[in-house]
Amino acid sequence: MKRKLFCEISPLTYAISEKKCILMRSLKNLCSIKHLAKTKQKERLPYVIYKHNSLIRRRLGNVDMRLQENKAVNLSIAAPKINKILIRPGETFSFWYLVGNTTENKGYKEGLTIFADHTEPGIGGGMCQMTNLIHWMILHSDLKITEHHHHDGLDLFPDFQRKIPFGTGTSIMYNYLDYRFKNTTKRTYQLVIYTTPEYLCGELRADSPQRYKYHVSAENVFFSRENGVVYRNGKVYRDKVDKVTGKHLEKKLIRLNHAKVLYDTSDLEIRDMDAQ
């Protein structure tokens, strides 16, 4: 029998472990604070590197739509914390450093959160939609991702108006599971993040154009049944192209998906691997 971790013993030990992780990350931030992006500029930088809009209210299986409405509130509170932030050469963007803890006394409401292999309501839920949006834009830039966590091995919701490949999302938890990227280039970047009644909107801008463009796509996507369990499979690639010459420079595998499906699969086309 596998021995339980300290955090798995009881709700109390989990809370103790969580506080420890938060404290340790806070101490690390103090040591690196001068390198974290913190300056905003009202004017938008002139060059749009990439832009994307993300639908706020989605039908996620049987999830209570009240949590989706609350998520809209949560995103509207958090977006201004990041909007117009500059990421200068050598600086690192930290989501949680800018947004801070999403507590009830700041106006955050109960939204959808993901805990282990299931969903549950939680104050400030829905922040991963913002880091998903930011991550998708950063994948189309020269910026270097330095911290990125996944909901590993799980496919929690059926597709609903999916526009980006499965597996390009993020998993965050205040403040020790962060989303971070570093500007290792000579140009300054800027994130523009805001909400409308329907969408979470994002723009990645810069003070000079990029020479390279990027395209992220999924290949060999299918569902399989293995030992009675259904999985979503696929590979996500990132292509790099020289905009001046049009030359294809690199095709890099950035995600190999083999995720256990946790929703009703009766409408899916599934390859039965058990029968092969």
Side-chain angles (χ1 to χ4, degrees):
M1 183 176 178
K2 184 180 178 181
R3 185 177 179 180
K4 285 187 176 181
L5 298 174
F6 178 75
C7 64
E8 298 174 325
I9 295 174
S10 69
L12 176 62
T13 59
Y14 178 84
I16 292 172
S17 298
E18 186 177 40
K19 292 293 184 184
K20 174 188 173 184
C21 291
I22 291 172
L23 177 60
M24 290 179 65
R25 175 51 68 94
S26 298
L27 291 173
K28 287 181 180 179
N29 285 346
L30 287 175
C31 297
S32 60
I33 193 169
K34 67 179 181 178
H35 300 297
L36 296 178
K38 59 183 75 69
T39 303
K40 290 186 176 184
Q41 176 177 294
K42 184 178 180 180
E43 298 77 18
R44 299 186 182 192
L45 294 180
Y47 295 94
V48 177
I49 304 302
Y50 198 81
K51 63 193 301 184
H52 186 74
N53 295 340
S54 176
L55 186 66
I56 293 176
R57 295 166 185 83
R58 301 176 179 177
R59 293 205 171 274
L60 303 175
N62 296 319
V63 172
D64 185 352
M65 286 303 292
R66 175 185 62 88
L67 300 179
Q68 295 290 291
E69 294 297 330
N70 289 348
K71 179 181 70 171
V73 174
N74 295 341
L75 292 173
S76 71
I77 296 172
K81 308 285 186 181
I82 293 175
N83 190 34
K84 307 290 185 66
I85 190 73
L86 296 175
I87 305 94
R88 294 168 171 150
E91 289 185 335
T92 293
F93 169 90
S94 164
F95 178 80
W96 286 124
Y97 176 74
L98 294 172
V99 172
N101 201 355
T102 53
T103 59
E104 194 169 10
N105 62 10
K106 294 179 182 178
Y108 289 97
K109 296 180 177 292
E110 194 174 59
L112 185 69
T113 64
I114 298 173
F115 182 80
D117 62 350
H118 65 280
T119 61
E120 59 183 43
I123 299 297
M127 289 298 103
C128 62
Q129 182 167 348
M130 189 174 294
T131 50
N132 289 350
L133 173 71
I134 295 171
H135 178 55
W136 180 245
M137 295 192 295
I138 300 308
L139 285 173
H140 292 82
S141 77
D142 294 334
L143 295 161
K144 181 181 180 181
I145 298 165
T146 56
E147 184 173 349
H148 175 211
H149 305 275
H150 290 275
H151 297 298
D152 265 336
L154 299 175
D155 182 7
L156 294 161
F157 308 110
D159 291 345
F160 179 75
Q161 298 184 20
R162 176 176 293 280
K163 294 182 179 180
I164 64 177
F166 176 83
T168 54
T170 60
S171 176
I172 54 172
M173 180 76 73
Y174 181 80
N175 61 354
Y176 54 93
L177 297 184
D178 202 357
Y179 179 75
R180 296 187 174 205
F181 61 85
K182 184 176 182 180
N183 186 356
T184 57
T185 76
K186 294 181 179 180
R187 70 180 63 87
T188 295
Y189 286 84
Q190 182 185 43
L191 277 174
V192 177
I193 304 289
Y194 59 97
T195 60
T196 70
E198 292 186 58
Y199 291 95
L200 173 66
C201 305
E203 298 177 12
L204 178 65
R205 291 175 167 262
D207 59 0
S208 62
Q210 290 185 164
R211 174 163 182 169
Y212 307 109
K213 65 179 179 180
Y214 301 87
H215 178 64
V216 181
S217 61
E219 297 182 10
N220 195 29
V221 177
F222 65 96
F223 291 92
S224 64
R225 180 174 286 105
E226 304 168 31
N227 297 318
V229 179
V230 176
Y231 293 88
R232 184 197 289 254
N233 305 272
K235 296 179 179 180
V236 182
Y237 290 95
R238 182 177 186 245
D239 291 279
K240 182 178 182 180
V241 178
D242 189 317
K243 291 194 292 185
V244 175
T245 66
K247 184 178 180 180
H248 184 275
L249 302 174
E250 181 184 49
K251 182 175 182 177
K252 183 179 181 181
L253 178 66
I254 61 172
R255 183 69 180 168
L256 180 63
N257 291 317
H258 185 67
K260 183 179 179 180
V261 179
L262 299 181
Y263 49 85
D264 181 15
T265 62
S266 58
D267 292 332
L268 299 178
E269 183 178 336
I270 302 171
R271 296 183 190 176
D272 193 346
M273 310 304 284
D274 296 338
Q276 296 181 11

